[in-house]
Amino acid sequence: MKLLLAEQDRDFPAAFSALLRLHGHQTAAVYDGTQVLTSLASEKWDAALLDDSLPRIPHRELITAFKSSSVPVIVLTSKRLSAGLLTQEYLASAYLSLPFLPDELTGLLSRLSEYRSTKTPLVYEDAVITPSEFSLSGSIPVTAGEIELFSLLLENKTINEKRMGCYVFSLNAKLARLNKKTRIRYLINKGYRLVTI
């Protein structure tokens, strides 16, 4: 993948570029919002890592620019992941809370690449997630974490509540907003499951 690293801390791209190259990725670094927009206009990117405190242009505007260019964006944030963050209007393709392990980043990049190439939608009753578009029912944006959660639930796999709990709440909120009958519920002795209400 050809990755744009947009991070105000100049040490971050230097540290992670070597790791990402070991995994077969090409990288380039920019350090403010203006440079991000210039790079988007002049280069074709497969994905981007975006610091949510990048100077000069608010990260929400940059997320919109990436989405209009069909470039998945991972936002690096010092905030704790929450349903509130994951249901905001300007939603990135994925979020990584700082600090994170290198394996978390490389694993997330692999999932993003896989989702972008997945043409088959994930369907349960009236709920349809299209991984390649990062969307629920074609109108509500979802993150890579919510796609992963929905996929695990379709396979009746055990959900790690500590890691996936915020995605349960955010995806349920999005399903409710669309007036879908599908919900995620915790069932005694079974764990989280997709149900119809």
Side-chain angles (χ1 to χ4, degrees), residues 67 83-91 126 134-142 146 169-183 197:
K67 286 194 160 192
L85 177 67
L86 298 169
T87 54
Q88 64 187 352
E89 184 179 349
Y90 303 96
L91 191 68
D126 62 349
F134 292 89
S135 72
L136 169 65
S137 297
S139 60
I140 301 286
V142 292
E146 290 164 323
F169 293 113
S170 63
L171 191 52
N172 261 341
K174 291 172 185 179
L175 289 164
R177 198 162 77 202
L178 284 171
N179 294 319
K180 298 297 184 187
K181 293 184 178 182
T182 297
R183 292 291 189 282
I197 57 171

Side-chain angles (χ1 to χ4, degrees), residues 36-105:
V36 168
L37 295 181
T38 300
S39 294
L40 263 177
S42 61
E43 296 278 342
K44 173 74 175 140
W45 303 100
D46 296 315
L49 274 69
L50 174 66
D51 177 358
D52 70 352
S53 57
L54 203 64
R56 299 185 84 178
I57 296 175
H59 79 280
R60 291 177 176 179
E61 289 182 32
L62 297 174
I63 289 171
T64 301
F66 280 115
K67 286 194 160 192
S68 62
S69 298
S70 299
V71 177
V73 59
I74 299 170
V75 169
L76 308 177
T77 182
S78 57
K79 296 175 187 169
R80 186 169 177 243
L81 287 186
S82 66
L85 177 67
L86 298 169
T87 54
Q88 64 187 352
E89 184 179 349
Y90 303 96
L91 191 68
S93 305
Y95 291 84
L96 267 180
S97 290
L98 299 164
F100 57 84
L101 298 172
D103 286 350
E104 291 179 83
L105 175 58

Side-chain angles (χ1 to χ4, degrees), residues 111-179:
R111 286 194 302 279
L112 281 181
S113 179
E114 177 187 328
Y115 295 151
R116 288 202 67 196
S117 62
T118 301
K119 301 303 179 197
T120 306
L122 303 172
V123 181
Y124 180 86
E125 300 293 335
D126 62 349
V128 179
I129 287 183
T130 308
S132 61
E133 297 172 4
F134 292 89
S135 72
L136 169 65
S137 297
S139 60
I140 301 286
V142 292
T143 63
E146 290 164 323
I147 296 171
E148 180 184 2
L149 169 67
F150 198 74
S151 180
L152 290 170
L153 290 168
L154 284 174
E155 298 171 12
N156 288 322
K157 291 192 176 174
T158 303
I159 304 301
N160 179 332
E161 188 171 356
K162 185 175 180 182
R163 188 173 80 83
M164 304 295 284
C166 61
Y167 298 112
V168 170
F169 293 113
S170 63
L171 191 52
N172 261 341
K174 291 172 185 179
L175 289 164
R177 198 162 77 202
L178 284 171
N179 294 319

